[in-house]
Amino acid sequence: MEVMTPEHEWREDCAPRRVLELFSTKWTSMILHTLHSRHSGAARTGVLQRSLPGISKKMLVQTLRDMEASGLLTRHVESVVP
């Protein structure tokens, strides 16, 4: 018995593909986990980088920008330097 699935369920913009695209890099899930478990959802870039051994500043900034563009996180700019 063959199960037929509608073609529209497997389009390029279907939900499973969007989720896979969001988490396609190894750093995305690690950043989300670190923000949630160690920093209560918010951290400065430098603090976050020190919490993630092995990530370069370039990769962290690039991944954070991608996550912000996809709506996984929001960025808040402080007007004062710590």
Side-chain angles (χ1 to χ4, degrees), residues 25-58:
T25 66
K26 73 175 184 179
W27 293 113
T28 302
S29 59
M30 292 181 75
I31 289 170
L32 283 175
H33 175 71
T34 302
L35 277 171
H36 175 71
S37 65
R38 290 181 145 184
H39 304 293
S40 301
R44 291 181 177 271
T45 307
V47 173
L48 189 56
Q49 185 176 7
R50 287 188 294 276
S51 299
L52 292 162
I55 192 169
S56 66
K57 184 174 184 177
K58 178 185 176 189

Side-chain angles (χ1 to χ4, degrees), residues 4-75:
M4 302 298 264
T5 59
E7 186 66 31
H8 72 279
E9 289 183 10
W10 299 108
R11 295 182 316 197
E12 288 186 27
D13 63 341
C14 68
R17 287 183 188 219
R18 288 192 314 252
V19 170
L20 285 174
E21 184 180 329
L22 287 173
F23 292 98
S24 61
T25 66
K26 73 175 184 179
W27 293 113
T28 302
S29 59
M30 292 181 75
I31 289 170
L32 283 175
H33 175 71
T34 302
L35 277 171
H36 175 71
S37 65
R38 290 181 145 184
H39 304 293
S40 301
R44 291 181 177 271
T45 307
V47 173
L48 189 56
Q49 185 176 7
R50 287 188 294 276
S51 299
L52 292 162
I55 192 169
S56 66
K57 184 174 184 177
K58 178 185 176 189
M59 182 54 69
L60 176 62
V61 170
Q62 180 180 343
T63 305
L64 289 172
R65 286 180 181 159
D66 291 344
M67 291 170 69
E68 182 181 14
S70 65
L72 287 174
L73 55 83
T74 57
R75 181 174 179 230

